[in-house]
Amino acid sequence: MSRVYNFSAGPAVLPEEVLREAAEEMMDYRGCGMSVMEMSHRSKVYDDIIKEAEADLRELMSIPDNYKVLFLQGGASQQFAAVPMNLMKNKKAGYIITGQWAKKAYQEAKMYGEAVELASSADETFSYIPDCSDLAITDDMDYVYICENNTIYGTKFKTLPNTKGVDLVSDVSSCFLSEPVDVTKYGIIYGGVQKNIGPAGVVIVIIREDLIRDDVLPQTPTMLKYKTQADNDSLYNTPPCYGLYICGKVFKWLKKMGGLQAMKEHNEKKAAILYDFLDQSKLFKGTVRKEDRSLMNVPFVTGNDELDAKFVAEAKKAGFENLKGHRSVGGMRASIYNAMPIEGVEKLVAFMKKFEEENA
Ligand SMILES: *Cc1c(COP(=O)(O)O)cnc(C)c1O
């Protein structure tokens, strides 16, 4: 067996320990004689898995009692519609456009009400986070929406916007559990898990209870009503059982690693290795304004498309996979999520140094 260093933006690298454990339990989960994939989601065994996953997540993020945790399907993209359908009482919301995912959410929301663009960094290809200290937010807005870590462009909100008392909804798909968060600052935190937590197919929604309502927009599908999911503890229909089981294992791994504060330190150390190299390199350049740099997704370029392609190809041969930048921006992107070990980044930087010398 040989494993590569996988810098994919998602689905992405998972802790080896988790994969090994899942492999061991594949044929016979703890004496049940079946795989978790094969068992009823109404069984006692599965009930323990989902309850424990929720308890561990609550502990990791210090989620207050007045927030519900929902384990859903449909990816982060399904939430682009679910959020306005459930929350747009006044049919008006503010969106901060910091990249493609925020833009998609904004466009989707326009189908359900008035989505107001409060700020945008489109003018400089989303290479920075706009000043959000005094936006034109009005009381009649049902929520203010952000994409907290911009997977494609590699920016991250280091301070949350001043929402002037309006509830904040945040897509944290690519920074989920990468550092501690104050859940009370949000109305909803949600994310697809395939970036930093588990296999694609699970989306986690953490929602303040008063936002779970019956008076959602007419024709909201039953499945998309947060109330349906909350009332049924995420078991209204069959949940993404196996994916959730892996998420549960990752939560346990995170607890063993020391929780989110330890993860943050680990991630800062890892990202610094790469950013420090980029800052002094004569060949490679980071593309993001320094103060807005993501700890998770690091885009960089040589400034020459051919050289970029050569780098990606040679890196692949050397065991560094998925370094090609998003199709919309080109260049390179190293996603260095929780499960990427420090030596993966150290070896990547050593490889980049060698490439720089050879191509000077
Ligand atoms: C990947 C990603 C999405 C889309 O996730 P899907 O699960 O494919 O719908 C949305 N937002 C962010 C920030 C992402 O990184």
Side-chain angles (χ1 to χ4, degrees):
M1 182 193 73
S2 93
R3 289 189 40 93
V4 296
Y5 287 112
N6 179 8
F7 293 92
S8 170
V13 58
L14 287 170
E16 276 192 20
E17 214 177 297
V18 166
L19 298 177
R20 275 211 192 87
E21 220 178 87
E24 275 161 26
E25 291 173 348
M26 180 62 79
M27 301 302 285
D28 177 5
Y29 179 75
R30 301 187 185 172
C32 302
M34 62 178 94
S35 161
V36 172
M37 239 180 269
E38 303 169 297
M39 63 180 57
S40 165
H41 58 294
R42 310 275 176 209
S43 64
K44 170 78 176 80
V45 181
Y46 194 76
D47 199 52
D48 288 346
I49 291 173
I50 193 168
K51 289 231 166 70
E52 226 173 278
E54 178 173 344
D56 287 335
L57 180 64
R58 282 187 173 276
E59 188 185 326
L60 279 167
M61 293 180 73
S62 309
I63 300 173
D65 288 344
N66 64 326
Y67 283 75
K68 276 267 186 196
V69 174
L70 308 176
F71 296 119
L72 310 175
Q73 306 192 44
S77 303
Q78 180 78 284
Q79 295 304 310
F80 298 169
V83 166
M85 284 182 140
N86 282 272
L87 263 50
M88 268 192 173
K89 207 165 43 175
N90 296 329
K91 297 220 170 189
K92 190 171 173 187
Y95 279 72
I96 299 170
I97 316 294
T98 53
Q100 286 199 18
W101 295 120
K103 196 168 155 193
K104 281 190 176 162
Y106 165 67
Q107 281 163 344
E108 188 79 12
K110 280 193 202 174
M111 293 167 56
Y112 304 102
E114 188 188 346
V116 180
E117 180 182 307
L118 292 168
S120 167
S121 51
D123 59 341
E124 290 180 35
T125 34
F126 301 117
S127 59
Y128 70 103
I129 298 288
D131 176 7
C132 297
S133 57
D134 186 19
L135 301 171
I137 294 167
T138 50
D139 286 346
D140 58 344
M141 286 183 179
D142 294 307
Y143 59 90
V144 170
Y145 184 100
I146 61 167
C147 177
E148 201 158 324
N149 184 79
N150 296 281
T151 325
I152 295 171
Y153 301 95
T155 58
K156 159 104 205 289
F157 281 83
K158 300 292 163 80
T159 42
L160 293 176
N162 172 8
T163 62
K164 304 183 177 179
V166 173
D167 288 320
L168 180 65
V169 174
S170 178
D171 173 358
V172 297
S173 295
S174 50
C175 60
F176 225 155
L177 302 179
S178 63
E179 57 184 295
V181 288
D182 180 355
V183 175
T184 64
K185 294 213 165 95
Y186 303 82
I188 293 180
I189 307 180
Y190 81 89
V193 304
Q194 74 272 29
K195 310 290 160 71
N196 208 17
I197 303 179
V202 182
V203 58
I204 300 176
V205 176
I206 301 162
I207 177 170
R208 212 179 56 231
E209 270 169 1
D210 61 286
L211 295 175
I212 302 172
R213 295 194 313 247
D214 254 329
D215 58 336
V216 298
L217 296 191
Q219 271 133 40
T220 298
T222 309
M223 277 286 290
L224 289 193
K225 279 174 76 174
Y226 292 134
K227 184 144 194 335
T228 306
Q229 304 291 351
D231 286 351
N232 291 281
D233 294 323
S234 307
L235 291 165
Y236 171 73
N237 72 330
T238 320
C241 302
Y242 194 80
L244 252 166
Y245 150 80
I246 300 289
C247 293
K249 286 202 182 297
V250 172
F251 300 154
K252 295 223 181 286
W253 175 78
L254 285 166
K255 281 170 68 177
K256 212 173 90 185
M257 296 289 286
L260 301 192
Q261 184 55 37
M263 239 358 171
K264 178 179 194 239
E265 286 157 25
H266 170 74
N267 287 329
E268 282 172 345
K269 207 162 134 192
K270 250 182 346 190
I273 295 169
L274 192 44
Y275 285 125
D276 287 350
F277 171 72
L278 289 172
D279 287 345
Q280 59 75 54
S281 170
K282 289 192 177 60
L283 180 64
F284 297 102
K285 269 180 297 295
T287 56
V288 168
R289 190 164 77 182
K290 277 189 187 175
E291 57 269 38
D292 301 325
R293 284 170 163 175
S294 165
L295 291 180
M296 300 278 99
N297 312 97
V298 183
F300 55 95
V301 295
T302 64
N304 173 332
D305 290 349
E306 266 172 46
L307 210 50
D308 286 352
K310 186 179 175 202
F311 175 79
V312 171
E314 287 186 12
K316 186 177 165 70
K317 274 193 212 134
F320 306 101
E321 288 272 350
N322 293 314
L323 281 166
K324 197 169 180 307
H326 189 269
R327 57 195 142 82
S328 67
V329 284
M332 281 75 72
R333 172 179 50 173
S335 294
I336 49 175
Y337 297 117
N338 286 346
M340 172 58 66
I342 280 205
E343 62 267 23
V345 179
E346 285 168 346
K347 285 185 182 162
L348 173 64
V349 167
F351 178 81
M352 289 167 78
K353 277 184 186 151
K354 189 167 141 272
F355 186 88
E356 181 168 334
E357 280 159 21
E358 289 167 0
N359 292 275

